Amino acid sequence: MSLVTGAAARHTENGHAKDSRTKGRRTKATRPAWQEKPKALTTAGKVLVMVLITAAVVAPFWVVLATSLSTARQVTADGGYSLWPREFSLHAFHQILTGSTAGRALVVSLLLVVVGTAVSLAATVLLAYALARPGVIGGGWVLKMTLVAFLFPPGIIPAYLVVDNLGLIDDYSSLVLPVVIDVFNLVVLRGFFQGLPGELFEAARLDGAGEFTVLWRIVLPLSRSVIAVVGFFYGVTYWNDFFRALFYLNDPGRWPLSTLLRLLVTQGVTADANGTTASALKDTSRTTLMATIVVAVVPVLVVYPFVQRFFTKGVLTGAVKS
């Protein structure tokens, strides 16, 4: 009896061992290459490549920041750029933010972002909601005309002639009205509105709510994520737009910061503290130029982390449903 039991146990152990070896060979043979544990040399190579890419991205920003925080004497001694602010100074930022032309340009840019984003967001939401509702008279034609304007944008000269005939030259409205609605943002918002449950609209109408009440009380609270992302897109567009001010504003003293920064970078000059025309531009230190770049970049970097969590939920949902 004991011999039979021992033989059965050895048979079972041999069977399990054989099954384990077979399973191990099958697992090793069928495992994809990307699921195998990487070798130490491969891991070290990946880390080295990631470090080099990160350094290539971060290094220019660090040089700009370090140069803006250094004195002009140190920057001149270091050959035009500084890798570490040995002589720490905020003089360049103080010069920009206290009454200079760059300071006025910064105020213009901030007002342009606030007013332009509010106007564009309101116009885009209203048009997207109208185009998303079924049965709107002429909605199909308006959508087709909008898409045609998106696919075949007007050239620079026709746009300038329209702005000139409307009397908007040397007026800040010329920086907002020609681009008040972006078609991409319109399509994203329209797709998001179309994805809302129709029962909500029917219930609201049974309670006697009108279209504006439905939009304000139901649609907008449910669309905070996509509206936040679209508003961020508009804000960045107005903040970085230098082209229209270059065409439509003849007085450099009224330029926004992006247009002034373009002049500083391409021509290496800056505006005098009391100058309001192009003749007031003069050579300046590299620290002021770098400080202007920092002032132009920091607001976007500060706002972006607060809007990033809405990107997946807002833009992707609206874009896929469009």
Side-chain angles (χ1 to χ4, degrees):
M1 184 66 180
S2 60
L3 295 175
V4 173
T5 305
R10 287 193 298 272
H11 177 73
T12 304
E13 292 176 356
N14 294 334
H16 285 301
K18 183 177 180 180
D19 293 341
S20 300
R21 289 194 298 270
T22 306
K23 186 177 180 180
R25 287 196 298 269
R26 186 186 301 117
T27 303
K28 185 176 181 180
T30 58
R31 177 180 294 174
W34 59 82
Q35 293 184 357
E36 295 181 355
K37 185 178 180 180
K39 299 179 180 178
L41 183 60
T42 305
T43 303
K46 292 179 180 178
V47 172
L48 179 61
V49 171
M50 293 301 297
V51 169
L52 292 177
I53 294 176
T54 304
V57 174
V58 175
F61 291 99
W62 173 252
V63 171
V64 170
L65 181 62
T67 305
S68 65
L69 295 176
S70 303
T71 61
R73 180 178 57 185
Q74 178 192 340
V75 173
T76 303
D78 293 343
Y81 295 97
S82 176
L83 297 179
W84 185 258
R86 299 188 304 275
E87 299 176 0
F88 183 81
S89 175
L90 296 176
H91 176 72
F93 292 95
H94 183 268
Q95 182 181 2
I96 292 175
L97 301 177
T98 54
S100 66
T101 300
R104 291 195 296 272
L106 177 61
V107 174
V108 171
S109 291
L110 292 176
L111 293 177
L112 183 64
V113 168
V114 173
V115 176
T117 302
V119 173
S120 295
L121 204 55
T124 306
V125 168
L126 291 175
L127 183 58
Y129 178 73
L131 296 177
R133 303 305 306 148
V136 176
I137 300 176
W141 284 101
V142 173
L143 180 60
K144 292 177 182 177
M145 293 173 61
T146 306
L147 294 178
V148 169
F150 175 68
L151 296 175
F152 304 99
I156 298 175
I157 295 177
Y160 181 85
L161 293 177
V162 171
V163 173
D164 188 21
N165 290 329
L166 291 176
L168 301 179
I169 297 297
D170 280 334
D171 194 288
Y172 285 122
S173 59
S174 63
L175 307 182
V176 176
L177 294 181
V179 290
V180 68
I181 293 180
D182 185 87
V183 179
F184 174 78
N185 296 332
L186 174 68
V187 171
V188 170
L189 276 179
R190 176 177 174 269
F192 192 88
F193 292 159
Q194 286 179 328
L196 295 177
E199 291 79 5
L200 292 175
F201 299 93
E202 296 177 0
R205 287 195 175 83
L206 289 177
D207 291 338
E211 291 294 343
F212 284 101
T213 303
V214 173
L215 175 63
W216 183 256
R217 296 286 183 85
I218 298 177
V219 175
L220 292 184
L222 295 175
S223 309
R224 290 176 181 172
S225 57
V226 67
I227 290 176
V229 175
V230 170
F232 179 74
F233 284 164
Y234 276 124
V236 173
T237 300
Y238 284 115
W239 180 261
N240 292 331
D241 186 19
F242 69 92
F243 192 71
R244 292 179 180 80
L246 201 62
F247 272 84
Y248 302 144
L249 299 181
N250 295 320
D251 186 1
R254 306 182 65 186
W255 283 353
L257 186 62
S258 56
T259 308
L260 186 64
L261 181 61
R262 178 257 178 194
L263 186 66
L264 299 179
V265 173
T266 57
Q267 300 183 16
V269 295
T270 187
D272 190 2
N274 300 318
T276 56
T277 62
S279 60
L281 299 176
K282 67 177 185 180
D283 295 337
T284 187
S285 64
R286 187 62 61 88
T287 58
T288 305
L289 173 61
M290 296 302 166
T292 307
I293 296 175
V294 172
V295 171
V297 172
V298 165
V300 179
L301 296 180
V302 171
V303 174
Y304 179 75
F306 296 97
V307 186
Q308 184 185 12
R309 61 192 179 99
F310 296 116
F311 268 72
T312 303
K313 185 178 179 181
V315 169
L316 292 182
T317 303
V320 170
K321 291 180 179 178
S322 300

